Amino acid sequence: MNFGGIAFVVIIVAFIGFEMHAASRNSYRMEPEHVFGQIASADRAVSECKTPQLDRLAKFKRNYGYARNRAYDALAAKNPEASPQEVDDMVTVAQEVVHRDVDALIAEKGCEDIEVWKLLKRFENLARLNLPIAD
């Protein structure tokens, strides 16, 4: 094999390795608990800093319910010994933590801060999703 062929194989193997590494580092972003936290943070920012259109709010709340149910199911699977009430409490505590963090951000930097703007933009994006109706 010539030098060009070897270099090509090395580059391809390195690229595949890099892609696999990047995918494994970002896989948590698809976890139901993480998604629920993202939706909860957007919900809190909107409730404190913006009055959304009623149709968007309704669609967002529907998506929020779906994400909450998915987070509940994921936590129930990870904690099979927990009662349904305990799992519900875990989801509620996770939501409260996110809300406290957003409240602290707004109190410190105000509704005009870029991070709050990102949360408000997240609300708009999440309100466009067509997630299944929450059970």
Side-chain angles (χ1 to χ4, degrees):
M1 192 178 256
N2 64 13
F3 178 74
I6 293 172
F8 177 75
V9 170
V10 168
I11 289 171
I12 294 298
V13 169
F15 178 74
I16 291 171
F18 175 75
E19 288 296 317
M20 290 176 62
H21 174 72
S24 69
R25 288 196 56 192
N26 293 322
S27 65
Y28 75 93
R29 292 180 179 172
M30 295 307 294
E31 294 291 323
E33 303 94 343
H34 179 77
V35 172
F36 176 67
Q38 297 294 303
I39 292 177
S41 64
D43 179 59
R44 189 56 162 205
V46 164
S47 70
E48 296 295 318
C49 295
K50 184 177 180 178
T51 303
Q53 296 173 345
L54 292 179
D55 59 331
R56 283 191 195 224
L57 183 61
K59 193 166 180 189
F60 177 83
K61 291 295 186 180
R62 189 190 76 178
N63 292 338
Y64 194 177
Y66 176 77
R68 189 180 201 296
N69 288 347
R70 295 268 311 181
Y72 177 94
D73 292 345
L75 286 170
K78 288 180 182 177
N79 301 286
E81 73 288 347
S83 71
Q85 182 59 49
E86 290 172 326
V87 175
D88 192 58
D89 291 344
M90 286 182 223
V91 174
T92 301
V93 166
Q95 178 179 317
E96 289 171 354
V97 167
V98 169
H99 284 185
R100 275 196 306 264
D101 290 347
V102 173
D103 288 344
L105 174 67
I106 292 169
E108 179 183 338
K109 298 189 177 189
C111 288
E112 301 303 317
D113 182 67
I114 186 70
E115 294 303 316
V116 176
W117 179 85
K118 289 177 184 177
L119 294 175
L120 297 173
K121 199 65 165 160
R122 181 180 296 154
F123 168 86
E124 294 295 330
N125 291 333
L126 292 168
R128 290 187 195 109
L129 293 178
N130 290 316
L131 298 178
I133 295 175
D135 296 331

